[in-house]
Amino acid sequence: MKDSELKRDSSIPERVTLKKEIGLLSACAIIIGNIIGSGIFISPKGVLEHSGSVGLALVVWVLGGGIAALGSLCYAELGVTIPKSGGDYSYVTEIFGGLMGFLLLWSAVLIMYPTTLAVIALTFSNYVLQPVFPHCIPPYIATRMLSTICILFLTWVNCYSVRLATRIQDAFTVGKLLALGLIITVGLVQIFGGNYESLTPQVAFTFNKAPSIGQIALAFLHASFAFSGWNFLNYVTEEVVDPRRNLPRAIYISIPLVTFVYTLTNIAYFSSMSPDELLSSNAVAVTFGEKLLGMFSTLMPISVALSTFGGINGYLFTSSRLCFSGAREGHLPSLLAMIHFKHCTPIPALLVCCTATIVILCIGETHNLINYVSFINYLSYGVTIAGLLYYRWKKPNLYRPIKVSLLVPVCYLLFWALLLGFSLHSEPLVCGVGLVIMLTGVPVYFLGVYWKNKPKCIYDFIVGRMRKMMKMMGDRLCFDGKAVLAPMVRVGTLPMRLLALDCGADIVYCEELIDIKMAQCERVVNDVLETVDFVAPDERVMFRTCSKEKSRVVFQMGTADPERALAVAKLVENDVAAVDVNMGCPKEYSTKGGMGSALLSDPEKIEAILRTLVNGISKPVTCKIRILPTLEDTVNLVRRIEQTGVAAIAVHGRMKEERPRHPVHCDYIQAVAESVSIPVIANGGSSDIVKSFEDIETFRAATGASSVMIARAAMWNPSVFRQQGALSVERVMEDYIKYAVRYDNNPFNTKYCLCQMLRDRVESPFGKRLHAAQTTEEICEVFGLTDFYMKTSAELKARKAALQTNGDQSEIPKVEDDVIIMPVRFERRDYPPQITPKMFLLEWSRKEKLDQPVYETEQRTQDRAFQSTVTVADKKYRSTLWEKSKKFAEQAAAIVCLRTLGLPEGRIGEDNSGLVNKRKRDDNKCAPLNDNESAARKRHISEVPQEEEEEIICRTKVVTGDCGQTTSEH
């Protein structure tokens, strides 16, 4: 396929990063939108109750804003010094290490976010139910049930669609602004009307009881709950445009504005409600509306409900994102880092947040919940800001775009220590419970994060159960109860995989592809074939796939390097259902370089490769092994593999020294299946057991495996997967050819697979006709499918022509360093047998009485590809594309020369130039092979890798001995 036929998928970046799309206005909106939530509608009661007077309560609100401003300035310095998303968690992890970061994450996941969500949900329920129960407090069960329904619904929304969740957030923000705007406006009207008795100094600072310092500290904790969210912009630092400027600016604008709005809102409350009325109200804003809005009082609970509903949605989104980030860093189970492949939402993280919130809803009272979350919030803020001072001492020379005065963090920490100390003194039980819950993260950290090689019983409990949850979520490829097409070199290409799926296979593996070669490939969207191709530098398609198999194809690679394996996995991740590492092939082409079964002797490398893949991609990771000499060694290896987090393991029931003639060891596979909790796929039964569809279940039962992988039996007849019974080989071969034509499969690969299906009939007259075919058209002719070939080829050509609206500019010759170049590739199938471009160029040179063409060839070291330059009449011609063999490189150079000169090159369908009519094609070099020679050659070709087969055929069929002089450069 030429370059003009392909559309490069430029939308796929080399490295996926967060986009910087948050400007100053959006940054301010994030801070203001997250601060203003349910707190201003419920915290006034707690602040007034603990402060003891209206005046002191207003002072607490103003000072609360000031403390938030001090903390924000410290976070501004941290945000631009450590420019990572994740806020407190990222900063503490960077400064103090994994344990401190984990404890902060642990407390956030278990306490801060679920409690905040629970409080907002209860506020929503109270305001919705207040009009239904106007003269009493809404029933406990009713508020909890409505809160739970709200949490469940919004969790579903966030699981289903990010766009829908953000639209809900935008819509319900209007309700938030409407509620506060209405309260402030009505309150100012009251004040201007002279109703401000509670705000006069004489009344405002009249205390019902003298407040203690501890009670004032609790008042600040309630106010801090309303201000919580001032650090949320630091969670998305990587997405802020020019964070060194916009992060501090957003803080300078937002915090004073919120403080001003909160103070005015409280003044509005006190303009129409006495302190006793406010303290007796379970929904302050509703009571305010009932007193002043009359028949329009229902607007207030509706507006507040809208505000809190949007707040729940926003906190769910943020909390699940923190869980997701923690899981990616390895501080939470990797299950929480998984994303639904269709909806692109972190469903496991959302479900964990939802569950934790519902649990807290059932065990806590609102004001105690606020004390829990406020205490933990302040504790985390203080640890983070203490980290700023430690970081100044630890790295004094580190460049800091923003560097606040030391008085700012010191003042904040002094206030922080005073506040937490008196909170512990006044409410030791509430604060103590929060502290104990936070410290429970210490053993969890050492058990789940620090301790790598856990006993199997612990691993089964922590990880095995989570995998079962993963299976329940659907859409990720499941390996239980499946019939699987095995990875087979030269067989597992796209036509065979699609045919196996048609016949009933549940999962198909591609042939093993070496990571070094795949790492050099480029992902190309082929609009002509409607495929995704991974194209090597020499323009060979290393891996081709299509949408029909996307959810069921497993990409198998040969690798011995974790980082290179991850690079290849990321390259193909979005086009396959899973990634597999081959550790079972004993052939030299796989074991060289420590790949294939050579990995079985290096368990540490196995673990490194698999852990890197599991942690690095979102798709399931599997591996395929052979059994070891002893059962004990095999089981121990599989247990180590299981702990890497793989989704399944395929076990070939033979040792690496054994071949298909040796019996399969079902007992080994059974022992493996009994020793691990992940699915085990049994492989190796084609020769002994699997001859039909019913035998697949027989093999599965004999091994106790979860699934069965079929290799040779499927290669001979893919309809072995067919539940209704196998089809005739002739019918299967015709279906295979149709896929090969439709997806432009290499004719030599097509012929090889067809010969495997023919088996012992390959020496029959029909088999010899097939083996003599050199192009896809000739193969179709053998099977009587010429009409299908012509029709499909015409459709593909028409589609190609429709796509090439701008014309093909790729084959216009260019001059580079006195060499005429063109991106040309030699396709053997495009030329008749015994005819090559080199022959045409040689004939033309003789006719024009020129010297014979001289070819200079060089070989590239990294992939051993070839490039040739031909000199004709003192001019040099070269193809820019590298070929897989020296012969093909010379042919490509000859094509460039012929096309530049406007001469025929001998392609099929090209007008006959008569240049080669004089040549004796019945020369002994090109004579048909006798039966013995043909059979010998077939056996030889079947034993070599695919790339060598085409070169062998080229050597035996193409006259090259007198087609020009050749020199080589290695």
Side-chain angles (χ1 to χ4, degrees), residues 372-391:
Y372 285 145
V373 74
S374 298
F375 175 79
I376 297 298
N377 260 333
Y378 260 109
L379 189 60
S380 64
Y381 296 157
V383 171
T384 306
I385 293 174
L388 182 147
L389 296 176
Y390 176 74
Y391 215 49

Side-chain angles (χ1 to χ4, degrees), residues 191-206:
I191 292 173
F192 290 135
N195 298 316
Y196 50 83
E197 181 180 353
S198 296
L199 299 172
T200 58
Q202 302 91 321
V203 178
F205 287 96
T206 300

Side-chain angles (χ1 to χ4, degrees), residues 351-546:
L351 293 179
V352 167
C353 294
C354 173
T355 303
T357 302
I358 292 174
V359 169
I360 288 183
L361 272 174
C362 299
I363 62 174
E365 192 272 329
T366 306
H367 292 294
N368 279 339
L369 291 178
I370 294 174
N371 288 340
Y372 285 145
V373 74
S374 298
F375 175 79
I376 297 298
N377 260 333
Y378 260 109
L379 189 60
S380 64
Y381 296 157
V383 171
T384 306
I385 293 174
L388 182 147
L389 296 176
Y390 176 74
Y391 215 49
R392 289 265 191 104
W393 172 78
K394 182 181 178 182
K395 296 187 177 181
N397 299 322
L398 184 67
Y399 174 63
R400 294 173 170 83
I402 299 174
K403 193 171 183 179
V404 299
S405 169
L406 283 177
L407 287 176
V408 174
V410 169
C411 290
Y412 184 92
L413 288 174
L414 287 174
F415 180 84
W416 169 78
L418 186 68
L419 190 64
L420 288 186
F422 282 107
S423 297
L424 281 167
H425 176 73
S426 301
E427 295 282 353
L429 180 61
V430 172
C431 298
V433 169
L435 189 61
V436 168
I437 293 176
M438 185 176 185
L439 292 177
T440 58
V442 175
V444 175
Y445 172 80
F446 284 103
L447 177 65
V449 179
Y450 185 79
W451 189 10
K452 300 296 183 183
N453 298 319
K454 307 174 186 66
K456 183 178 181 298
C457 58
I458 297 177
Y459 180 80
D460 284 346
F461 180 77
I462 296 175
V463 180
R465 302 300 180 269
M466 291 185 175
R467 281 211 185 84
K468 293 181 180 179
M469 292 174 58
M470 177 185 71
K471 293 173 188 174
M472 296 171 60
M473 295 173 190
D475 291 322
R476 278 177 64 89
L477 191 61
C478 175
F479 294 89
D480 273 324
K482 305 298 182 184
V484 184
L485 176 69
M488 292 177 280
V489 174
R490 301 175 63 200
V491 174
T493 49
L494 182 59
M496 180 63 78
R497 299 198 303 268
L498 294 178
L499 183 57
L501 290 174
D502 288 346
C503 291
D506 300 302
I507 300 171
V508 292
Y509 279 60
C510 76
E511 60 179 332
E512 178 195 18
L513 295 166
I514 305 303
D515 59 353
I516 296 176
K517 295 181 179 179
M518 281 298 300
Q520 300 172 20
C521 289
E522 180 180 6
R523 182 183 186 274
V524 178
V525 175
N526 188 327
D527 287 328
V528 176
L529 300 178
E530 297 178 326
T531 60
V532 175
D533 299 343
F534 293 85
V535 184
D538 62 0
E539 292 299 303
R540 271 192 302 163
V541 177
M542 299 298 297
F543 175 57
R544 172 169 287 165
T545 185
C546 66

Side-chain angles (χ1 to χ4, degrees), residues 47 78 212 392 411 413 431 549 712 717 721 752 766 845 863 875:
V47 173
L78 286 169
S212 64
R392 289 265 191 104
C411 290
L413 288 174
C431 298
E549 67 168 2
R712 290 176 177 269
N717 190 337
F721 292 109
Y752 175 85
F766 180 84
S845 299
D863 58 0
K875 289 187 178 181

Side-chain angles (χ1 to χ4, degrees), residues 93 226 351 504 536 577 616 703 805 879 911 947:
T93 303
L351 293 179
T703 58
T805 55
S879 172
D911 292 338
E947 58 267 24

Side-chain angles (χ1 to χ4, degrees), residues 547-579:
S547 59
K548 184 176 180 179
E549 67 168 2
K550 182 176 180 180
S551 62
R552 293 193 283 175
V553 63
V554 178
F555 177 85
Q556 188 187 66
M557 76 172 85
T559 184
D561 182 84
E563 296 306 320
R564 194 162 56 233
L566 180 60
V568 173
K570 285 184 174 293
L571 177 66
V572 303
E573 179 179 11
N574 295 325
D575 301 297
V576 299
V579 173

